[in-house]
Amino acid sequence: MCDCMTAHGARAVAHGARADVRCRAHGGSNAVPRKTAVVGAGFAGVALAFELLEGANARGTALDVTLIDARGIAGGASGVAAGLLHPYTPRGKIIWRGREGVAAAKRLISLAVKAEDALDVVLNARCDDADGGWRDSVGRNTGERRNDAVARAPGIVRPARSAKQGVDFRRAFNARLVADIEAFKDDDDDDDGATCLTTAETLALCPGLVFTEDVLEAEARADDVGCAGALYMPRGVVVDAPRYLSALWDACSIVASRGVAGTRAMFRTATIDDVEALYDEFDDVCLCCGAAVHALVNADDVPVQLQGGHVLVMKPDDGALTTGILGTTYVAPLGTSRAMVGPTKEYDATVEDARRAGVADRESTRGARAESALRDLALRAYAPTSSWDVVQLKYGVRANPPRSPAGALPLAGRTKTRAGGRRRPWFVAGLGARGLVYHALLARWVADAMLDDDITAIPEDVRRDSAP
């Protein structure tokens, strides 16, 4: 952790900058910093703003970063994310750079928590925003959930939904065990200490969970490979995405205050329809606007597929569930009073759909249909949800990347098309269902690429830089 993020240092920053938490500059008025626009305030955008500011500070250069979003921090698909941080495929294998991504995400989560705590010492305004969202009139998240944990580590379990999946868990675990032994790797080095559980052990963590007959029968046979009841990550983290991203913006404010003269972090509520116009004000532009990116650049430049989905925010019975449940349908406990359950999968989503992300109307035909479908999915994923109350229905559209030999990897780089004949905008896109595990890594790589004007800082597996 860098020294600037200690509680003492952050309190000093907050005390000297009460007037405007959105704009924190250090130094005189003659500084001429490089001006950078980051479009989109979800996982990719807020993390990139942080990494740009931290990277500029390390280089001793002034940077003026403006984060732009029409709906505020976490107003799009990131605000609807389940927040289950883990590096595994449904078969129990490690995804591309999975452990590295989890470690990078945990670093930003830790810094975000410390920043929010520090700024709360002097900036303790509150409002009645039950969703914990951004309020521009105050300049930061002031929702009633601000006192809830940004992230918790209650563990995450992926129950075997078929005998085949249970066998896959065992095989993947055994393969990792052999690889770790051959590499002289200690268990403590493992990012989450993942292991296999029996069905009985899984039920102890998630009372009321129902297993299929083929899983129970395969487990009872106890053949050479064996059938696991679940893959369990005891150090798995459940993140309240809107809370986390607002806190990470607090961290941007603090890092900016430590920069050289002219360094600033600004937030702007605005809809961007023309990338070219941004170059009238900014030297660099990076598009981190998820499914809305196709409203700004050619689809060929950023080849993502849009997928919509609804989720339910539910109120669990007291003490009903503390461990996160992974699966085609997830159940993510966000503290003791809220849980996220979902998603539906809607493949006809459009850019316009992406712009209406957020709380959905439960009384509308579409909303009522989605809630009914989610109730059914929730019941099959975790039977005790049948008695849980629905608090909200939410909707979001994510941008899924194309498949590659290494899997569905996110995309980052520069667009093929120049904005008005000027510089080609940078972009981060295609985080899909893995935005939480990849956002911090991508932000670090793209920040280095932008600050040094060197696109090779982005690994080739995810880099896009076709000549115009």
Side-chain angles (χ1 to χ4, degrees):
M1 184 196 324
C2 58
D3 291 341
C4 68
M5 298 306 300
T6 63
H8 175 76
R11 288 190 183 97
V13 169
H15 183 268
R18 294 170 185 261
D20 186 359
V21 300
R22 288 169 294 167
C23 171
R24 298 179 185 275
H26 188 73
S29 60
N30 294 327
V32 183
R34 188 166 188 81
K35 299 189 69 176
T36 299
V38 177
V39 181
F43 284 129
V46 183
L48 178 60
F50 179 88
E51 293 289 352
L52 282 168
L53 291 161
E54 189 175 61
N57 288 1
R59 290 164 174 80
T61 59
L63 188 68
D64 187 336
V65 175
T66 299
L67 182 63
I68 305 171
D69 197 293
R71 303 176 67 87
I73 303 291
S78 294
V80 186
L84 296 168
L85 179 59
H86 68 95
Y88 294 97
T89 72
R91 297 179 62 186
K93 296 182 178 180
I94 301 287
I95 62 175
W96 180 85
R97 302 247 189 166
R99 285 174 171 166
E100 187 180 355
V102 167
K106 285 183 175 180
R107 171 182 175 268
L108 290 194
I109 292 168
S110 175
L111 295 177
V113 170
K114 291 180 183 298
E116 181 182 86
D117 289 346
L119 292 184
D120 271 347
V121 171
V122 293
L123 299 168
N124 54 9
R126 292 290 183 270
C127 75
D128 61 353
D129 176 18
D131 193 42
W134 180 268
R135 283 296 173 266
D136 192 56
S137 60
V138 182
R140 61 202 296 262
N141 179 314
T142 58
E144 66 183 39
R145 290 198 292 107
R146 191 172 176 86
N147 289 327
D148 292 349
V150 168
R152 301 162 51 250
I156 297 172
V157 65
R158 183 188 284 275
R161 298 303 184 181
S162 68
K164 182 182 182 305
Q165 189 175 34
V167 171
D168 285 342
F169 289 162
R170 282 289 183 195
R171 285 175 173 159
F173 174 74
N174 292 341
R176 286 196 305 275
L177 190 62
V178 170
D180 288 348
I181 291 172
E182 290 177 347
F184 300 102
K185 184 175 181 293
D186 189 271
D187 287 344
D188 290 339
D189 296 330
D190 196 343
D191 201 51
D192 52 33
T195 189
C196 288
L197 299 182
T198 65
T199 54
E201 290 169 335
T202 307
L203 286 169
L205 287 173
C206 307
L209 193 71
V210 177
F211 287 97
T212 59
E213 287 298 323
D214 67 326
V215 171
L216 296 172
E217 290 172 0
E219 182 183 46
R221 284 197 301 270
D223 56 20
D224 290 343
V225 176
C227 177
L231 178 69
Y232 178 49
M233 295 145 269
R235 295 194 287 274
V237 177
V238 181
V239 181
D240 187 331
R243 296 274 297 102
Y244 161 55
L245 291 175
S246 291
L248 187 57
W249 181 245
D250 287 344
C252 290
S253 300
I254 293 177
V255 171
S257 75
R258 296 287 183 166
V260 300
T263 296
R264 298 194 306 173
M266 299 282 290
F267 183 83
R268 181 182 301 176
T269 303
T271 299
I272 303 300
D273 296 313
D274 183 4
V275 177
E276 179 182 351
L278 290 173
Y279 283 96
D280 292 335
E281 180 180 358
F282 298 99
D283 301 299
D284 279 319
V285 174
C286 189
L287 306 178
C288 301
C289 43
V293 70
H294 284 172
L296 301 176
V297 299
N298 295 330
D300 290 343
D301 285 4
V302 186
V304 295
Q305 296 294 320
L306 307 190
Q307 177 185 327
H310 286 82
V311 300
L312 288 180
V313 180
M314 306 186 78
K315 181 176 175 55
D317 299 331
D318 290 342
L321 181 69
T322 58
T323 303
I325 299 177
L326 274 173
T328 304
T329 301
Y330 57 74
V331 183
L334 304 175
T336 58
S337 61
R338 295 170 63 252
M340 191 90 79
V341 181
T344 58
K345 294 183 179 179
E346 302 161 27
Y347 295 99
D348 58 348
T350 66
V351 171
E352 288 306 313
D353 288 331
R355 287 178 167 168
R356 64 178 181 83
V359 178
D361 181 4
R362 295 171 59 193
E363 303 302 320
S364 69
T365 300
R366 183 173 182 175
R369 184 168 59 246
E371 181 172 338
S372 176
L374 284 164
R375 275 288 199 180
D376 182 58
L377 290 171
L379 183 63
R380 283 184 278 166
Y382 188 56
T385 59
S386 61
S387 64
W388 296 4
D389 293 330
V390 174
V391 178
Q392 281 180 328
L393 175 70
K394 286 188 168 186
Y395 176 76
V397 178
R398 68 189 187 200
N400 293 326
R403 298 288 302 182
S404 76
L409 305 186
L411 311 174
R414 278 180 169 149
T415 64
K416 301 176 185 177
T417 308
R418 295 183 184 274
R422 310 184 202 187
R423 301 187 67 181
R424 290 180 292 146
W426 296 85
F427 72 89
V428 179
L431 276 70
R434 293 171 175 165
L436 189 55
V437 72
Y438 281 139
H439 76 291
L441 267 187
L442 285 168
R444 184 189 307 162
W445 294 332
V446 175
D448 286 341
M450 293 177 68
L451 292 168
D452 298 331
D453 196 21
D454 178 11
I455 199 166
T456 63
I458 302 171
E460 189 174 359
D461 286 342
V462 298
R463 186 195 315 153
R464 294 280 174 140
D465 186 37
S466 301

